[in-house]
């Protein structure tokens, strides 16, 4: 891989200034300065394609693509085949990139279920195209990210969903107790290519790179062997898509900052925090108009709303309505966890309970890690109790007959009389799972020693 890629002159974008040079008393002078700065930026970023194909950049892109693995594209090539393919074809591909004639292949359409019951469309590029898009991303990200808004948290280094929800809680604590919750209708499918490319061209004047990005956007979608042209949207699943979404919505961030709004945006999830319902309604109307007229994006009127933050969810979290609000998992987030665990418990009837506990613990570990910011411990306490009851229920079901239940309870430390009465009480498994004899036989400590993760302990340890 390293030998196949010839070293190019390294391209290092210059540091960009933070100041805008505006003089409040001289608007025309400010506009002139801003225009000159944009032109300077474009001249500064003229030879980006050389940075894309530079050996170190390509090697890093290769490492990330292989690490991420992923399914093959329409050509069937896997990440394991990529290295040998590059040894034979890299010099030709590199020449095509530098000459601006490289053409990406079609993307493979994949649909995955969404939590709300719908389907999310993904576009899986070929492995070769994923490598090139990753290299483009690495060249463009430092150029654009340095000037992104501090209110933007999605797909950015050193920023996460946790940062966004913590900032949202701060806004509410400061007294902004109304939320303008904006839902962009099928954002990734509706992005205007012309609007997006115009925003990239503000900083990038390398026509080869601009042509490459547009070709990636317009690459056809392959469905059942039929290729369909794409005239709008940026397919989720490509390495470039997260950066392109931030470039597209940076104008929204700057508009909100200019108006002095307090907001948090994570990808296409944007919440604006205001002091009154009246202000929220006014902001919703004006921002909807801005998105439609300037960015050619459509707001989903049915899903967008102005409401109290404790009635809404943001990135899976909600919060209490106290003066100093506490974060907590949203009700739908808890319901989705319970639905997932129900599936595991149903499968557990015919499996080893050790395997069931291990599967549940993997799920709980990830869920608890994400919701560790919660200040409402009662939710986690109830979930822990419910999970242990479901496991005791599985034990009772697997023991099946009174004789086997009697022996199992005896082995777990119950006296003969209690074990005999309990095993033949005629009650159902769910009732027995909460009964005293099962709690004595299978106390919380039993599940702790078998590796069951406690959500409450995870939150308390933060």
């Amino acid at each position: 891989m390293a030998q196949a890629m010839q070293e190019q002159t390294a391209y290092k974008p210059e540091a960009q200034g933070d100041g805008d040079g505006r003089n409040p008393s001289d608007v025309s002078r400010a506009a002139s300065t801003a225009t000159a700065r944009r032109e300077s930026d474009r001249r500064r970023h003229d030879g980006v394609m050389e940075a894309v194909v530079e050996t170190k950049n390509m090697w890093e892109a290769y490492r990330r693509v292989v690490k991420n693995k992923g399914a093959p594209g329409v050509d069937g090539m896997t990440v394991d085949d990529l290295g040998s393919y590059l040894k034979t074809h890299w010099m030709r591909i590199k020449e095509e990139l530098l000459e601006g004639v490289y053409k990406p292949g079609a993307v493979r359409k994949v649909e995955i279920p969404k939590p709300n019951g719908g389907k999310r469309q993904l576009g899986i590029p070929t492995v070769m195209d994923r490598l090139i898009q990753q290299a483009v991303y690495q060249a463009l990200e430092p150029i654009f990210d340095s000037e992104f808004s501090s209110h933007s948290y999605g797909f950015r280094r050193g920023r996460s969903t946790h940062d966004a929800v913590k900032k949202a809680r701060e806004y509410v604590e400061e007294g902004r107790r109304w939320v303008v919750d904006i839902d962009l209708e099928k954002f990734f499918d509706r992005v205007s290519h012309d609007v997006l490319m115009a925003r990239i061209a503000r900083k990038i004047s390398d026509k080869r790179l601009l042509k490459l990005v547009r070709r990636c956007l317009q690459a056809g979608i392959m469905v059942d062997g039929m290729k369909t042209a794409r005239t709008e949207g940026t397919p989720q699943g490509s390495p470039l898509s997260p950066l392109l979404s931030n470039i597209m919505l940076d104008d929204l961030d700057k508009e909100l900052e200019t108006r002095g709004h307090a907001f948090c945006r994570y990808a296409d999830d944007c919440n604006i925090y205001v002091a009154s319902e009246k202000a929220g309604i006014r902001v919703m109307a004006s921002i909807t108009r801005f998105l439609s007229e300037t960015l050619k994006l459509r707001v989903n009127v049915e899903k967008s709303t102005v409401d109290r933050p404790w009635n809404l969810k943001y990135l899976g979290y909600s919060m209490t309505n106290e003066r100093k609000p506490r974060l907590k998992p949203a009700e739908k987030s808890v319901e989705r966890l319970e639905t997932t665990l129900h599936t595991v418990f149903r499968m557990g009837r015919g499996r080893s309970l050790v395997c069931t506990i291990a599967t549940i613990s993997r799920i709980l570990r990830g869920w608890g890690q994400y919701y560790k910011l919660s200040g409402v411990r009662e939710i986690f306490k109830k979930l822990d109790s419910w999970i242990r009851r479901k496991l005791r229920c599985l034990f009772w079901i697997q023991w099946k007959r009174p004789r086997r239940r009697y022996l199992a309870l005896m082995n777990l430390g119950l006296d003969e009389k209690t074990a005999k009465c309990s095993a033949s009480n005629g009650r159902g498994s769910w009732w027995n799972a909460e009964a005293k004899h099962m709690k004595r036989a299978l106390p919380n400590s039993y599940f702790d020693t078998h590796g069951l993760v406690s959500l409450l302990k995870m939150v308390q340890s933060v």
Side-chain angles (χ1 to χ4, degrees), residues 177-439:
R177 298 173 75 82
W178 286 89
V179 181
V180 181
D181 185 6
I182 297 175
D183 184 273
L184 295 176
E185 186 174 315
K186 296 182 178 180
F187 168 71
F188 287 94
D189 298 329
R190 296 274 173 83
V191 169
S192 166
H193 291 171
D194 290 338
V195 174
L196 174 58
M197 292 306 303
R199 275 138 188 81
I200 298 175
R202 288 174 180 173
K203 288 184 172 294
I204 306 299
S205 57
D206 190 327
K207 293 183 179 180
R208 299 165 300 174
L209 187 102
L210 294 174
K211 286 180 181 179
L212 176 61
V213 173
R214 184 177 280 275
R215 285 169 182 162
C216 289
L217 291 171
Q218 295 178 338
I221 302 174
M222 191 72 74
V223 183
D224 297 328
M226 297 291 293
K227 183 178 178 181
T228 305
R230 175 182 284 272
T231 58
E232 62 179 1
T234 169
Q236 296 184 72
S238 73
L240 260 179
S241 185
L243 177 62
L244 296 181
S245 68
N246 277 334
I247 292 173
M248 183 70 176
L249 292 173
D250 189 53
D251 275 20
L252 170 62
D253 298 340
K254 296 299 193 291
E255 178 69 16
L256 292 171
E257 287 178 343
T258 301
R259 300 184 186 190
H261 288 307
F263 69 97
C264 297
R265 183 180 66 78
Y266 191 97
D268 58 331
D269 285 333
C270 184
N271 277 6
I272 307 167
Y273 296 84
V274 295
S276 68
E277 183 179 17
K278 184 177 179 180
I281 294 172
R282 184 175 64 251
V283 170
M284 174 70 80
S286 62
I287 294 302
T288 298
R289 186 165 55 252
F290 171 82
L291 288 167
S292 174
E293 295 176 358
T294 305
L295 299 182
K296 310 303 179 186
L297 295 172
R298 187 183 305 170
V299 172
N300 189 326
V301 179
E302 294 181 357
K303 293 184 178 180
S304 299
T305 186
V306 177
D307 205 339
R308 297 290 196 178
W310 43 87
N311 295 331
L312 301 172
K313 70 180 182 71
Y314 183 55
L315 301 175
Y317 275 88
S318 185
M319 60 183 76
T320 63
N321 62 353
E322 300 158 328
R323 187 177 66 83
K324 290 187 175 182
R326 293 176 292 161
L327 293 170
K328 64 177 184 177
E331 288 184 12
K332 289 186 177 180
S333 301
V334 176
E335 290 172 2
R336 283 199 294 270
L337 173 65
E338 291 176 344
T339 300
T340 301
L341 293 178
H342 268 301
T343 302
V344 178
F345 287 130
R346 282 196 297 270
M347 293 170 55
R349 295 187 178 189
R351 296 174 60 194
S352 161
L353 285 165
V354 173
C355 293
T356 299
I357 289 174
T359 301
I360 290 170
S361 293
R362 282 196 298 271
I363 296 170
L364 296 181
R365 196 171 288 110
W367 198 86
Q369 186 66 25
Y370 184 77
Y371 290 102
K372 65 183 180 180
L373 299 180
S374 175
V376 182
R377 306 293 195 254
E378 291 79 6
I379 294 174
F380 298 87
K381 184 178 180 180
K382 288 180 180 178
L383 282 170
D384 277 349
S385 177
W386 176 76
I387 290 166
R388 288 191 292 263
R389 184 174 181 181
K390 292 290 287 186
L391 287 170
R392 293 188 184 105
C393 186
L394 276 181
F395 272 95
W396 192 261
I397 291 172
Q398 288 192 356
W399 291 338
K400 293 183 179 179
R401 300 180 183 278
R403 173 68 179 173
R404 188 176 176 184
R405 289 169 180 165
Y406 162 71
L407 294 175
L409 291 172
M410 287 278 290
N411 288 334
L412 289 169
L414 266 63
D415 62 85
E416 183 178 356
K417 180 179 179 181
T418 302
K420 187 173 183 179
C421 292
S422 302
S424 57
N425 61 29
R427 298 274 191 168
S429 56
W430 187 243
W431 183 90
N432 275 283
E434 191 66 6
K436 289 182 179 180
H437 56 270
M438 285 297 282
K439 287 187 174 182

